[in-house]
Amino acid sequence: MTKQSVLTLVGAGPGDPELITIKAIRALEAADVILYDALANDVLLDYCKSAQVTRFVGKRYGCHALSQNEINDLILYYCSRFQNVVRLKGGDPFIFGRAQEEIDVAIASGIKVRIVPGISSAMAVPASQNIPLTCRGISESFWVVTGTNRNNELSKDIYLAAQSTATIVILMAMSKLEEICDIFVNFGKGEIPAAIIQNGTTIHAKMVTGTIKDIAYRAAAAAMENPAIIVFGEVVRLNRDMVISQVRELQTPNQIDATKC
Ligand SMILES: C[S@@+](CC[C@H](N)C(=O)[O-])C[C@H]1O[C@@H](n2cnc3c(N)ncnc32)[C@H](O)[C@@H]1O
């Protein structure tokens, strides 16, 4: 391990490659090695002019091209040979990004770690569909919750979220959608507006809206899949086309490559 090795965890943003920070671009330009995830748009690799290695380590909803341990091993391997190793991760590395495991393994081996925060899908995807997470007089806070925990079980926080008046944003939850909706309905939230947004901020963006009591049915009818974000809250009404349930194909110039996993 060279003393100078630096591991930089870079947030790639939510999918649209223009939703990336200048600091992230500079980190990509300076990288010798890029290890990138499925939710990081490939177009961003165009910035990696001096990289000698660009390697897909595709992690997506429990479907792993490599296990986390294998990724950790690759980080150590490349840091022992190169000075600037970048882990390019979807959204923000610290929002359900398993960043801490990679930081811990690097630090334990004497590698310096740098974090470049990213624009999380949790905020950017609803915003891209004209859904504000807070709005004066409508929502005073928002929660970002995972649907599934490390054992692929329903997160206990869903029960707490169902009792809150906050806007609820749920990631990694499509496999538990019905179960989650039932919990909210049991807490009297069936009539609250709901939206599910798939591939947000990309050319494949697709949204279905309804209420918590019918959104699972509507999502199934529209064949909604991962990666998708669920939003529950009165703020969903602020989306201009809330009146009817709809699936919209939005044209933005960029896309996530859904074939990677
Ligand atoms: C492992 S988490 C990583 C989140 C990421 N660190 C972030 O800040 O956006 C992956 C989940 O994020 C959500 N997600 C990420 N990108 C998305 C997108 N473009 N559209 C919809 N959901 C997305 C989905 O819920 C997906 O299952």
Side-chain angles (χ1 to χ4, degrees):
M1 205 68 60
T2 66
K3 260 194 184 162
Q4 300 85 347
S5 287
V6 178
L7 171 69
T8 308
L9 273 63
V10 175
D16 178 346
E18 292 189 342
L19 290 176
I20 188 163
T21 66
I22 292 169
K23 202 179 268 289
I25 291 172
R26 289 191 177 139
L28 294 177
E29 285 170 344
D32 301 315
V33 178
I34 313 276
L35 304 175
Y36 65 102
D37 285 348
L39 289 173
N41 196 314
D42 289 1
V43 172
L44 297 175
L45 299 178
D46 290 348
Y47 290 113
C48 309
K49 301 273 187 263
S50 58
Q52 295 169 56
V53 180
T54 53
R55 186 155 174 179
F56 174 63
V57 295
K59 288 167 47 176
R60 196 179 253 182
Y61 353 104
C63 171
H64 296 265
L66 294 176
S67 70
Q68 186 63 50
N69 283 342
E70 287 167 327
I71 293 170
N72 294 348
D73 288 346
L74 280 181
I75 288 171
L76 296 182
Y77 173 82
Y78 285 114
C79 284
S80 69
R81 286 159 180 80
F82 295 90
Q83 196 174 330
N84 287 316
V85 176
V86 162
R87 265 298 277 126
L88 184 61
K89 300 169 87 71
D92 180 274
F94 279 157
I95 306 292
F96 302 124
R98 302 191 70 170
Q100 199 57 47
E101 287 154 80
E102 297 177 11
I103 293 168
D104 288 347
V105 88
I107 286 176
S109 297
I111 299 161
K112 289 185 185 151
V113 178
R114 204 162 67 95
I115 309 294
V116 178
I119 300 173
S120 178
S121 62
M123 289 182 283
V125 168
S128 71
Q129 296 288 347
N130 208 17
I131 298 173
L133 297 185
T134 67
C135 183
R136 186 177 277 241
I138 299 179
S139 170
E140 295 175 4
S141 59
F142 64 90
W143 292 24
V144 179
V145 190
T146 178
T148 45
N149 66 17
R150 67 198 308 179
N151 301 318
N152 209 28
E153 294 160 351
L154 187 76
S155 166
K156 299 267 185 290
D157 286 355
I158 293 291
Y159 292 89
L160 301 174
Q163 298 168 67
S164 163
T165 57
T167 302
I168 307 299
V169 180
I170 315 175
L171 275 62
M172 297 180 288
M174 289 305 280
S175 64
K176 308 266 187 227
L177 180 59
E178 271 187 53
E179 200 178 340
I180 290 169
C181 291
D182 286 348
I183 291 165
F184 277 73
V185 167
N186 287 337
F187 280 105
K189 300 284 177 63
E191 299 301 329
I192 298 279
I196 297 179
I197 307 149
Q198 175 185 327
N199 285 323
T201 80
T202 79
I203 197 169
H204 299 300
K206 187 170 154 183
M207 177 166 73
V208 61
T209 57
T211 60
I212 292 179
K213 73 173 186 319
D214 66 18
I215 196 72
Y217 169 79
R218 291 177 187 277
M224 299 296 280
E225 296 172 350
N226 282 310
I229 278 183
I230 302 165
V231 185
F232 291 163
E234 294 297 337
V235 288
V236 172
R237 287 192 202 284
L238 299 173
N239 169 265
R240 293 289 179 268
D241 302 315
M242 173 63 198
V243 184
I244 46 163
S245 169
Q246 76 275 19
V247 178
R248 298 188 311 175
E249 298 289 345
L250 299 177
Q251 293 305 308
T252 57
N254 312 302
Q255 62 181 329
I256 288 171
D257 181 355
T259 61
K260 290 234 194 78
C261 184

